[in-house]
Amino acid sequence: MNLAVVLVSPKTPGNVGAAARAMLNMGASDLRVVAPRCDILDSQAVAMAVHAADLLRSAQIYGTLREALADRDLSVGTTARLRADLPAPRHPAQVRPLVRAAQAPALVFGPEETGLINSDLEQCQVSIRIPTGEYASLNLAQAVLLVCYEFMQAQDEVPEWTRKTASREEMEAMYGHLHETMHLIGYTDAVRARHTLRLWRAMLDRALMSSAESRLFRGLLRQVQWKVQDAATRGTVTRQGKEVESEEQTAES
């Protein structure tokens, strides 16, 4: 399985090394680190990695989570709590069919102290929560080990269905285009925009769009933008499906 493990802004080199060791035990080898706050090749990291030192050395460093997920077609975020305006996290086993069907899934973990913030989780199509007892205090490497085990054990199973979905970069570009269009037509404003876009993200991510479908949707957005700009250029507006002269143009005549 082409599973990438993405660590967002890790603080302690030993945690990064231990996470690499956990990955190697479960058969995952694509480690990606976003804006690390430590030297991931520090002696402590290499010591904690043990036999996974080569995996640690081959890890890719990214400036943003968006860059780290650009070539992924499914991103799974991890969180320990409910978030306002975001779908509730699911049990890892419930997400296995999605991971199993993906061509390039990614598993995303947040900083040790805070976990992923809302803007990170917005870039993930689904989030999961590791079920624990009343005392819940897993360190980073433990979390990586548990979730990799849950997902990697599915690699020899026959997928229920196979579908090539759009990459996260394609989807993020589409959401940026949607955000621009919503502002252009007055569908939302600066105050409501983030909440509104979260709702659209949740709905469209569930659709598991293909690349062609994301392009089709953006084609619609381009046509909407062209129509609004064309009407503005000609000094007309559209009301209830009928094109009429603007008030300024009527006053002049």
Side-chain angles (χ1 to χ4, degrees), residues 7 20 61 73 84-86 98 111 113 116 126 140 142 151 154 165 195 203 211 215-216 232 248 253:
L7 307 182
I61 307 296
D73 62 353
D85 297 334
L86 292 174
L98 289 175
E113 319 97 294
L116 295 172
V126 63
L140 179 60
Q142 289 172 329
F151 290 166
T165 57
H195 172 74
M203 179 178 70
S211 294
R215 291 194 298 271
L216 179 67
E248 292 82 357
S253 60

PDB file of all heavy atoms in Angstrom, residues 7 20 61 73 84-86 98 111 113 116 126 140 142 151 154 165 195 203 211 215-216 232 248 253:
ATOM      1  N   LEU A   7       3.794  14.063   9.339  1.00  0.00           N
ATOM      2  CA  LEU A   7       3.914  14.633  10.681  1.00  0.00           C
ATOM      3  C   LEU A   7       3.964  16.146  10.553  1.00  0.00           C
ATOM      4  O   LEU A   7       4.853  16.688   9.905  1.00  0.00           O
ATOM      5  CB  LEU A   7       5.184  14.134  11.377  1.00  0.00           C
ATOM      6  CG  LEU A   7       5.402  12.617  11.431  1.00  0.00           C
ATOM      7  CD1 LEU A   7       6.684  12.307  12.201  1.00  0.00           C
ATOM      8  CD2 LEU A   7       4.202  11.912  12.067  1.00  0.00           C
ATOM      9  N   ALA A  20       9.154   6.864  12.908  1.00  0.00           N
ATOM     10  CA  ALA A  20       9.741   6.156  11.771  1.00  0.00           C
ATOM     11  C   ALA A  20       9.881   4.666  12.078  1.00  0.00           C
ATOM     12  O   ALA A  20       9.619   3.801  11.225  1.00  0.00           O
ATOM     13  CB  ALA A  20      11.099   6.765  11.422  1.00  0.00           C
ATOM     14  N   ILE A  61      10.850  16.912   3.501  1.00  0.00           N
ATOM     15  CA  ILE A  61      10.459  18.062   4.315  1.00  0.00           C
ATOM     16  C   ILE A  61       9.630  19.021   3.455  1.00  0.00           C
ATOM     17  O   ILE A  61      10.002  19.323   2.319  1.00  0.00           O
ATOM     18  CB  ILE A  61      11.686  18.808   4.868  1.00  0.00           C
ATOM     19  CG1 ILE A  61      12.613  17.841   5.608  1.00  0.00           C
ATOM     20  CG2 ILE A  61      11.235  19.943   5.786  1.00  0.00           C
ATOM     21  CD1 ILE A  61      12.009  17.211   6.830  1.00  0.00           C
ATOM     22  N   ASP A  73      -4.457  11.190  -2.987  1.00  0.00           N
ATOM     23  CA  ASP A  73      -5.862  11.218  -3.389  1.00  0.00           C
ATOM     24  C   ASP A  73      -6.808  10.998  -2.214  1.00  0.00           C
ATOM     25  O   ASP A  73      -8.028  11.093  -2.353  1.00  0.00           O
ATOM     26  CB  ASP A  73      -6.145  10.203  -4.494  1.00  0.00           C
ATOM     27  CG  ASP A  73      -5.883   8.760  -4.068  1.00  0.00           C
ATOM     28  OD1 ASP A  73      -5.356   8.552  -2.967  1.00  0.00           O
ATOM     29  OD2 ASP A  73      -6.206   7.844  -4.849  1.00  0.00           O
ATOM     30  N   ALA A  84     -15.896  22.180  16.152  1.00  0.00           N
ATOM     31  CA  ALA A  84     -17.042  22.905  15.623  1.00  0.00           C
ATOM     32  C   ALA A  84     -16.909  23.033  14.106  1.00  0.00           C
ATOM     33  O   ALA A  84     -15.826  23.285  13.583  1.00  0.00           O
ATOM     34  CB  ALA A  84     -17.126  24.294  16.268  1.00  0.00           C
ATOM     35  N   ASP A  85     -18.021  22.843  13.410  1.00  0.00           N
ATOM     36  CA  ASP A  85     -18.105  23.002  11.947  1.00  0.00           C
ATOM     37  C   ASP A  85     -17.371  21.915  11.164  1.00  0.00           C
ATOM     38  O   ASP A  85     -17.301  21.994   9.934  1.00  0.00           O
ATOM     39  CB  ASP A  85     -17.565  24.371  11.492  1.00  0.00           C
ATOM     40  CG  ASP A  85     -18.388  25.521  12.043  1.00  0.00           C
ATOM     41  OD1 ASP A  85     -19.574  25.310  12.321  1.00  0.00           O
ATOM     42  OD2 ASP A  85     -17.837  26.616  12.195  1.00  0.00           O
ATOM     43  N   LEU A  86     -16.808  20.927  11.846  1.00  0.00           N
ATOM     44  CA  LEU A  86     -16.115  19.844  11.151  1.00  0.00           C
ATOM     45  C   LEU A  86     -16.805  18.523  11.467  1.00  0.00           C
ATOM     46  O   LEU A  86     -17.324  18.334  12.569  1.00  0.00           O
ATOM     47  CB  LEU A  86     -14.646  19.776  11.575  1.00  0.00           C
ATOM     48  CG  LEU A  86     -13.749  20.940  11.135  1.00  0.00           C
ATOM     49  CD1 LEU A  86     -12.371  20.808  11.759  1.00  0.00           C
ATOM     50  CD2 LEU A  86     -13.642  21.000   9.619  1.00  0.00           C
ATOM     51  N   LEU A  98     -12.130   3.177   2.649  1.00  0.00           N
ATOM     52  CA  LEU A  98     -11.660   4.324   1.873  1.00  0.00           C
ATOM     53  C   LEU A  98     -10.165   4.228   1.612  1.00  0.00           C
ATOM     54  O   LEU A  98      -9.695   4.458   0.496  1.00  0.00           O
ATOM     55  CB  LEU A  98     -11.969   5.628   2.614  1.00  0.00           C
ATOM     56  CG  LEU A  98     -13.426   6.076   2.705  1.00  0.00           C
ATOM     57  CD1 LEU A  98     -13.538   7.318   3.571  1.00  0.00           C
ATOM     58  CD2 LEU A  98     -13.992   6.325   1.323  1.00  0.00           C
ATOM     59  N   PRO A 111       1.048  18.323  15.805  1.00  0.00           N
ATOM     60  CA  PRO A 111       2.086  18.549  16.816  1.00  0.00           C
ATOM     61  C   PRO A 111       1.765  17.822  18.118  1.00  0.00           C
ATOM     62  O   PRO A 111       0.596  17.607  18.449  1.00  0.00           O
ATOM     63  CB  PRO A 111       2.058  20.072  17.014  1.00  0.00           C
ATOM     64  CG  PRO A 111       1.445  20.607  15.759  1.00  0.00           C
ATOM     65  CD  PRO A 111       0.458  19.581  15.323  1.00  0.00           C
ATOM     66  N   GLU A 113       1.859  18.720  21.242  1.00  0.00           N
ATOM     67  CA  GLU A 113       1.123  19.420  22.295  1.00  0.00           C
ATOM     68  C   GLU A 113      -0.343  19.674  21.955  1.00  0.00           C
ATOM     69  O   GLU A 113      -1.204  19.644  22.837  1.00  0.00           O
ATOM     70  CB  GLU A 113       1.768  20.776  22.605  1.00  0.00           C
ATOM     71  CG  GLU A 113       3.286  20.780  22.631  1.00  0.00           C
ATOM     72  CD  GLU A 113       3.849  21.243  21.304  1.00  0.00           C
ATOM     73  OE1 GLU A 113       3.647  20.518  20.316  1.00  0.00           O
ATOM     74  OE2 GLU A 113       4.481  22.313  21.250  1.00  0.00           O
ATOM     75  N   LEU A 116      -3.647  18.351  15.387  1.00  0.00           N
ATOM     76  CA  LEU A 116      -3.944  19.144  14.195  1.00  0.00           C
ATOM     77  C   LEU A 116      -4.914  20.268  14.528  1.00  0.00           C
ATOM     78  O   LEU A 116      -5.878  20.073  15.270  1.00  0.00           O
ATOM     79  CB  LEU A 116      -4.555  18.254  13.105  1.00  0.00           C
ATOM     80  CG  LEU A 116      -3.652  17.160  12.535  1.00  0.00           C
ATOM     81  CD1 LEU A 116      -4.450  16.244  11.617  1.00  0.00           C
ATOM     82  CD2 LEU A 116      -2.466  17.763  11.783  1.00  0.00           C
ATOM     83  N   VAL A 126     -11.352  13.062   5.657  1.00  0.00           N
ATOM     84  CA  VAL A 126     -11.983  12.358   6.776  1.00  0.00           C
ATOM     85  C   VAL A 126     -11.034  12.428   7.963  1.00  0.00           C
ATOM     86  O   VAL A 126      -9.816  12.539   7.790  1.00  0.00           O
ATOM     87  CB  VAL A 126     -12.294  10.886   6.400  1.00  0.00           C
ATOM     88  CG1 VAL A 126     -11.018  10.113   6.105  1.00  0.00           C
ATOM     89  CG2 VAL A 126     -13.111  10.188   7.468  1.00  0.00           C
ATOM     90  N   LEU A 140       3.160  10.379  20.088  1.00  0.00           N
ATOM     91  CA  LEU A 140       3.093  10.403  18.630  1.00  0.00           C
ATOM     92  C   LEU A 140       3.390   9.042  18.017  1.00  0.00           C
ATOM     93  O   LEU A 140       2.661   8.558  17.147  1.00  0.00           O
ATOM     94  CB  LEU A 140       4.066  11.455  18.102  1.00  0.00           C
ATOM     95  CG  LEU A 140       4.147  11.615  16.571  1.00  0.00           C
ATOM     96  CD1 LEU A 140       2.803  11.996  15.997  1.00  0.00           C
ATOM     97  CD2 LEU A 140       5.209  12.658  16.213  1.00  0.00           C
ATOM     98  N   GLN A 142       3.177   6.046  19.332  1.00  0.00           N
ATOM     99  CA  GLN A 142       2.122   5.077  19.617  1.00  0.00           C
ATOM    100  C   GLN A 142       0.943   5.266  18.675  1.00  0.00           C
ATOM    101  O   GLN A 142       0.370   4.294  18.174  1.00  0.00           O
ATOM    102  CB  GLN A 142       1.662   5.224  21.071  1.00  0.00           C
ATOM    103  CG  GLN A 142       2.675   4.748  22.096  1.00  0.00           C
ATOM    104  CD  GLN A 142       2.246   5.094  23.509  1.00  0.00           C
ATOM    105  OE1 GLN A 142       1.571   6.105  23.743  1.00  0.00           O
ATOM    106  NE2 GLN A 142       2.645   4.266  24.472  1.00  0.00           N
ATOM    107  N   PHE A 151      -4.554   0.366   9.162  1.00  0.00           N
ATOM    108  CA  PHE A 151      -4.665   0.569   7.724  1.00  0.00           C
ATOM    109  C   PHE A 151      -3.815  -0.413   6.915  1.00  0.00           C
ATOM    110  O   PHE A 151      -4.245  -0.904   5.874  1.00  0.00           O
ATOM    111  CB  PHE A 151      -4.261   2.002   7.359  1.00  0.00           C
ATOM    112  CG  PHE A 151      -5.249   3.037   7.811  1.00  0.00           C
ATOM    113  CD1 PHE A 151      -4.903   4.375   7.812  1.00  0.00           C
ATOM    114  CD2 PHE A 151      -6.514   2.683   8.240  1.00  0.00           C
ATOM    115  CE1 PHE A 151      -5.815   5.347   8.228  1.00  0.00           C
ATOM    116  CE2 PHE A 151      -7.432   3.626   8.666  1.00  0.00           C
ATOM    117  CZ  PHE A 151      -7.071   4.961   8.649  1.00  0.00           C
ATOM    118  N   ALA A 154      -4.917  -3.963   5.874  1.00  0.00           N
ATOM    119  CA  ALA A 154      -5.898  -4.096   4.796  1.00  0.00           C
ATOM    120  C   ALA A 154      -5.247  -4.291   3.435  1.00  0.00           C
ATOM    121  O   ALA A 154      -5.937  -4.525   2.454  1.00  0.00           O
ATOM    122  CB  ALA A 154      -6.786  -2.850   4.756  1.00  0.00           C
ATOM    123  N   THR A 165      -9.395   8.859  -7.640  1.00  0.00           N
ATOM    124  CA  THR A 165      -9.945  10.146  -7.249  1.00  0.00           C
ATOM    125  C   THR A 165      -8.950  11.275  -7.504  1.00  0.00           C
ATOM    126  O   THR A 165      -7.763  11.045  -7.702  1.00  0.00           O
ATOM    127  CB  THR A 165     -10.337  10.140  -5.753  1.00  0.00           C
ATOM    128  OG1 THR A 165      -9.185   9.791  -4.973  1.00  0.00           O
ATOM    129  CG2 THR A 165     -11.441   9.137  -5.495  1.00  0.00           C
ATOM    130  N   HIS A 195     -16.985  29.271   7.435  1.00  0.00           N
ATOM    131  CA  HIS A 195     -17.978  28.276   7.828  1.00  0.00           C
ATOM    132  C   HIS A 195     -18.680  27.701   6.596  1.00  0.00           C
ATOM    133  O   HIS A 195     -18.866  26.488   6.483  1.00  0.00           O
ATOM    134  CB  HIS A 195     -19.003  28.905   8.767  1.00  0.00           C
ATOM    135  CG  HIS A 195     -20.167  28.024   9.066  1.00  0.00           C
ATOM    136  ND1 HIS A 195     -20.079  26.938   9.905  1.00  0.00           N
ATOM    137  CD2 HIS A 195     -21.453  28.040   8.618  1.00  0.00           C
ATOM    138  CE1 HIS A 195     -21.252  26.334   9.976  1.00  0.00           C
ATOM    139  NE2 HIS A 195     -22.097  26.994   9.204  1.00  0.00           N
ATOM    140  N   MET A 203     -19.308  18.227   1.991  1.00  0.00           N
ATOM    141  CA  MET A 203     -20.201  17.614   1.018  1.00  0.00           C
ATOM    142  C   MET A 203     -19.434  17.107  -0.209  1.00  0.00           C
ATOM    143  O   MET A 203     -19.616  15.956  -0.645  1.00  0.00           O
ATOM    144  CB  MET A 203     -21.264  18.618   0.576  1.00  0.00           C
ATOM    145  CG  MET A 203     -22.243  18.065  -0.461  1.00  0.00           C
ATOM    146  SD  MET A 203     -23.510  19.259  -0.921  1.00  0.00           S
ATOM    147  CE  MET A 203     -22.522  20.450  -1.850  1.00  0.00           C
ATOM    148  N   SER A 211     -10.469  13.368 -11.157  1.00  0.00           N
ATOM    149  CA  SER A 211      -9.844  14.569 -11.704  1.00  0.00           C
ATOM    150  C   SER A 211     -10.758  15.225 -12.731  1.00  0.00           C
ATOM    151  O   SER A 211     -10.915  16.454 -12.757  1.00  0.00           O
ATOM    152  CB  SER A 211      -8.501  14.214 -12.357  1.00  0.00           C
ATOM    153  OG  SER A 211      -7.575  13.768 -11.393  1.00  0.00           O
ATOM    154  N   ARG A 215     -12.500  19.018 -12.679  1.00  0.00           N
ATOM    155  CA  ARG A 215     -12.371  19.965 -13.796  1.00  0.00           C
ATOM    156  C   ARG A 215     -13.745  20.396 -14.306  1.00  0.00           C
ATOM    157  O   ARG A 215     -13.953  21.552 -14.684  1.00  0.00           O
ATOM    158  CB  ARG A 215     -11.543  19.353 -14.928  1.00  0.00           C
ATOM    159  CG  ARG A 215     -10.067  19.157 -14.584  1.00  0.00           C
ATOM    160  CD  ARG A 215      -9.248  18.874 -15.833  1.00  0.00           C
ATOM    161  NE  ARG A 215      -9.653  17.644 -16.488  1.00  0.00           N
ATOM    162  CZ  ARG A 215      -9.144  16.446 -16.207  1.00  0.00           C
ATOM    163  NH1 ARG A 215      -8.206  16.330 -15.271  1.00  0.00           N
ATOM    164  NH2 ARG A 215      -9.549  15.362 -16.855  1.00  0.00           N
ATOM    165  N   LEU A 216     -14.681  19.467 -14.326  1.00  0.00           N
ATOM    166  CA  LEU A 216     -16.049  19.775 -14.751  1.00  0.00           C
ATOM    167  C   LEU A 216     -16.672  20.820 -13.826  1.00  0.00           C
ATOM    168  O   LEU A 216     -17.294  21.793 -14.280  1.00  0.00           O
ATOM    169  CB  LEU A 216     -16.894  18.496 -14.743  1.00  0.00           C
ATOM    170  CG  LEU A 216     -18.369  18.637 -15.141  1.00  0.00           C
ATOM    171  CD1 LEU A 216     -18.483  19.005 -16.617  1.00  0.00           C
ATOM    172  CD2 LEU A 216     -19.119  17.333 -14.871  1.00  0.00           C
ATOM    173  N   ALA A 232     -21.244  42.819 -15.848  1.00  0.00           N
ATOM    174  CA  ALA A 232     -20.711  44.052 -15.277  1.00  0.00           C
ATOM    175  C   ALA A 232     -20.121  44.943 -16.366  1.00  0.00           C
ATOM    176  O   ALA A 232     -20.283  46.167 -16.353  1.00  0.00           O
ATOM    177  CB  ALA A 232     -19.661  43.725 -14.225  1.00  0.00           C
ATOM    178  N   GLU A 248     -27.868  52.443 -12.880  1.00  0.00           N
ATOM    179  CA  GLU A 248     -27.061  53.565 -13.341  1.00  0.00           C
ATOM    180  C   GLU A 248     -27.329  53.863 -14.815  1.00  0.00           C
ATOM    181  O   GLU A 248     -27.459  54.993 -15.252  1.00  0.00           O
ATOM    182  CB  GLU A 248     -25.564  53.272 -13.131  1.00  0.00           C
ATOM    183  CG  GLU A 248     -25.137  53.221 -11.672  1.00  0.00           C
ATOM    184  CD  GLU A 248     -25.422  51.877 -11.033  1.00  0.00           C
ATOM    185  OE1 GLU A 248     -26.010  51.007 -11.730  1.00  0.00           O
ATOM    186  OE2 GLU A 248     -25.066  51.694  -9.852  1.00  0.00           O
ATOM    187  N   SER A 253     -30.221  57.263 -19.192  1.00  0.00           N
ATOM    188  CA  SER A 253     -31.101  57.378 -20.336  1.00  0.00           C
ATOM    189  C   SER A 253     -32.368  58.180 -19.976  1.00  0.00           C
ATOM    190  O   SER A 253     -33.016  58.711 -20.829  1.00  0.00           O
ATOM    191  CB  SER A 253     -31.490  56.001 -20.861  1.00  0.00           C
ATOM    192  OG  SER A 253     -32.160  55.267 -19.844  1.00  0.00           O
TER     193      SER A 253
END
